[in-house]
Amino acid sequence: MKEEYILSGKIVQLMKKGVKIPNPYSVEVGEEVNINRISSSGIVLHSGTRIYGKKTLIAFGTTLGYEAPATIVNCQIGSRVELKGGFFKESVFLNKSNMAGGAQVRGGCLLEEEANGSHTVGLKQTILFPFVTLGSLVNFCDCFMAGGTSRKNHSEVGSSYIHFNYTPNQDKATASLIGDVPGGVMLNQPPIFLGGQGGLIGPARIGYGTVIAAGTVYRGNCPEGGKLLSGSKDETREKKFYPGFYADIRNKVYNNICYLANLLALKQWYAYVRLPFFQVQEFGDELYEGAVEKLEMAIEERLKRFETLSEKMEMSIEIGRKILKGKTGEKALRQQKEFLANWQDIKECFTEKTEETCALKERDSFLQIIREKLKEDEENYIKVIQSLGIDTSSTGSAWLQAIVDRITDNALNVVPSFKL
């Protein structure tokens, strides 16, 4: 009784539920935490674990703080997840995902099944599809990454890799699409490899099967995939820098449109395909709610950063009028004016819910197959998706690609000079 009096009431309640806490005096649980959202089966909270937030959810078999102290704030954590040490806030970790010690996972991240990172990884507004693996000392904020078919054949980011997501003009309209949603969800695409001691300048689009050689800071796009990219396109050189000035913005605008279109397609995938799989697992509805919330956070973040970029065009145009010359300069200014003048119409392309009415025939045909799999008592999402035939996978991808294409085309029709 004396021990129960000294220990926090939340700690006592969790231990009575069956949560294993080897050193209960070193664990902290906020009074706002709802212990009914923490499983009683197989959970281990190691020394130094801190759990906060009324939205926090922890499913069975999860281990926290094995390597180092771990802080959890309003995260939704699926089954058999390992967060071995670090800080984790407002993110979702689906079944068997894991992060090693020293991680900093900030708001808006979604790690799907078996996605994982080694020690000292920084993430924010990052979506990793199943099996994607991050090495050590990686800064990978504002990214989507997919590719690979299993833990033995997965997309990987080498150690000491950086996704450069902040520009000298202080904008973050820089999210990179490494893989895509229509192909990535089928778990049948070739892996992507980003070699260690390198970096990617956002916003970029990188296709499946791409290898970026170790030590390379890549500054382009390779959406077609299947290539080995190495070295640098540009030699080091000096030229005058004009704060607030943007030259050619077509790549930025086009890639932001593509990224947002893929997020909207992914949200439809969750609503129609992933939801039934969540509903048959512990805390499934709550996990689904958390995942959709993160997708909405991602869409909101990208729209916010995209709008900020549009607002910066006013200063850029003013500077450009003084320094730009010739047809190239005229084109750059024309595009910046077009982007600035039409931002609200561009934004509407991502908020008018076009994604809900695209390729309904393909969607319904694909969903019928998924429903039949569920009737066969196959409840494992990964196994079901991997068991789909080529024709079925192609139908599902066609549905999602139609969403991406429709939204992208609608946005580009508003600013036609940005069409590639």
Side-chain angles (χ1 to χ4, degrees):
M1 293 299 295
K2 183 178 179 181
E3 181 179 280
E4 290 186 5
Y5 176 77
I6 294 172
L7 284 173
S8 159
K10 295 285 186 179
I11 300 295
V12 173
Q13 292 175 61
L14 288 172
M15 293 175 69
K16 286 183 175 179
K17 285 185 69 172
V19 175
K20 185 177 180 180
I21 310 178
N23 187 359
Y25 292 94
S26 71
V27 172
E28 188 174 329
V29 178
E31 287 301 314
E32 75 284 0
V33 174
N34 182 355
I35 65 167
N36 292 324
R37 290 169 63 92
I38 298 177
S39 179
S40 59
S41 177
I43 290 181
V44 182
L45 307 181
H46 288 286
S47 297
T49 298
R50 301 177 180 89
I51 301 174
Y52 305 118
K54 64 182 181 180
K55 290 185 177 182
T56 290
L57 173 80
I58 306 175
F60 75 91
T62 286
T63 300
L64 303 178
Y66 179 72
E67 294 181 351
T71 299
I72 311 298
V73 183
N74 280 324
C75 290
Q76 293 78 49
I77 303 172
S79 63
R80 298 185 294 279
V81 171
E82 294 183 74
L83 303 181
K84 299 175 183 177
F87 180 79
F88 308 90
K89 182 178 182 181
E90 296 177 356
S91 294
V92 169
F93 303 86
L94 298 185
N95 301 350
K96 294 185 179 181
S97 58
N98 71 83
M99 296 292 290
Q104 186 189 57
V105 180
R106 291 179 283 167
C109 292
L110 172 57
L111 276 68
E112 293 195 341
E113 290 84 352
E114 299 186 54
N116 64 99
S118 192
H119 72 81
T120 326
V121 169
L123 305 177
K124 176 181 65 64
Q125 294 287 335
T126 298
I127 298 172
L128 304 180
F129 267 17
F131 317 124
V132 172
T133 297
L134 309 180
S136 302
L137 300 168
V138 169
N139 188 322
F140 211 61
C141 301
D142 297 320
C143 294
F144 166 92
M145 189 168 188
T149 59
S150 69
R151 287 294 303 120
K152 293 183 178 180
N153 180 45
H154 57 266
S155 289
E156 176 147 353
V157 179
S159 295
S160 301
Y161 201 88
I162 299 175
H163 175 249
F164 293 95
N165 68 325
Y166 190 68
T167 76
N169 284 325
Q170 303 180 15
D171 77 80
K172 285 190 176 182
T174 51
S176 289
L177 201 59
I178 306 162
D180 62 19
V181 169
V185 294
M186 297 306 168
L187 307 179
N188 60 4
Q189 296 297 310
I192 297 168
F193 183 82
L194 309 182
Q197 291 282 347
L200 180 66
I201 309 296
R205 289 173 294 124
I206 304 297
Y208 294 109
T210 297
V211 173
I212 299 183
T216 299
V217 176
Y218 189 68
R219 301 172 183 274
N221 299 295
C222 186
E224 65 276 19
K227 293 184 179 180
L228 171 62
L229 309 174
S230 61
S232 174
K233 288 186 175 181
D234 300 315
E235 296 181 359
T236 301
R237 60 190 182 191
E238 294 182 4
K239 61 180 181 180
K240 188 172 179 59
F241 174 67
Y242 299 91
F245 172 67
Y246 292 79
D248 184 356
I249 62 167
R250 182 164 63 175
N251 183 69
K252 275 184 173 289
V253 171
Y254 189 92
N255 286 0
N256 272 273
I257 289 170
C258 289
Y259 197 95
L260 276 158
N262 273 266
L263 288 180
L264 291 170
L266 182 55
K267 192 176 175 184
Q268 290 294 293
W269 177 261
Y270 267 77
Y272 287 98
V273 179
R274 295 223 54 164
L275 177 58
F277 294 96
F278 280 106
Q279 290 175 328
V280 296
Q281 60 181 287
E282 183 187 35
F283 299 134
D285 289 337
E286 293 85 353
L287 267 174
Y288 172 78
E289 180 183 336
V292 171
E293 179 187 53
K294 304 309 172 290
L295 292 176
E296 290 172 348
M297 288 171 64
I299 293 167
E300 182 180 355
E301 173 73 4
R302 298 276 58 91
L303 285 173
K304 174 184 174 183
R305 300 299 184 180
F306 206 4
E307 182 171 13
T308 298
L309 178 65
S310 73
E311 292 168 349
K312 289 179 177 287
M313 291 302 100
E314 192 169 353
M315 177 181 289
S316 181
I317 292 167
E318 183 179 342
I319 298 170
R321 285 175 177 147
K322 300 175 182 177
I323 65 173
L324 292 178
K325 298 178 181 180
K327 292 184 178 180
T328 301
E330 291 176 3
K331 181 179 179 181
L333 283 173
R334 184 169 62 252
Q335 288 186 325
Q336 291 181 27
K337 291 175 183 177
E338 187 177 56
F339 180 36
L340 175 62
N342 293 286
W343 163 249
Q344 288 302 324
D345 290 336
I346 297 172
K347 184 177 181 179
E348 286 181 9
C349 295
F350 306 110
T351 59
E352 59 190 3
K353 301 188 182 301
T354 302
E355 65 275 11
E356 297 180 0
T357 59
C358 285
L360 299 186
K361 180 179 179 181
E362 289 81 358
R363 183 196 71 185
D364 293 343
S365 296
F366 181 78
L367 293 179
Q368 181 60 37
I369 301 297
I370 297 297
R371 283 191 287 266
E372 290 173 2
K373 294 283 186 180
L374 287 168
K375 288 179 182 178
E376 296 169 1
D377 293 327
E378 181 54 80
E379 300 174 352
N380 185 302
Y381 169 74
I382 298 293
K383 287 183 178 179
V384 167
I385 298 304
Q386 291 181 327
S387 72
L388 299 176
I390 295 176
D391 289 344
T392 301
S393 296
S394 297
T395 299
S397 291
W399 159 45
L400 297 175
Q401 190 62 55
I403 293 173
V404 172
D405 291 344
R406 175 79 64 81
I407 294 172
T408 300
D409 288 344
N410 287 349
L412 291 174
N413 286 336
V414 175
V415 283
S417 69
F418 288 87
K419 294 181 179 181
L420 297 182

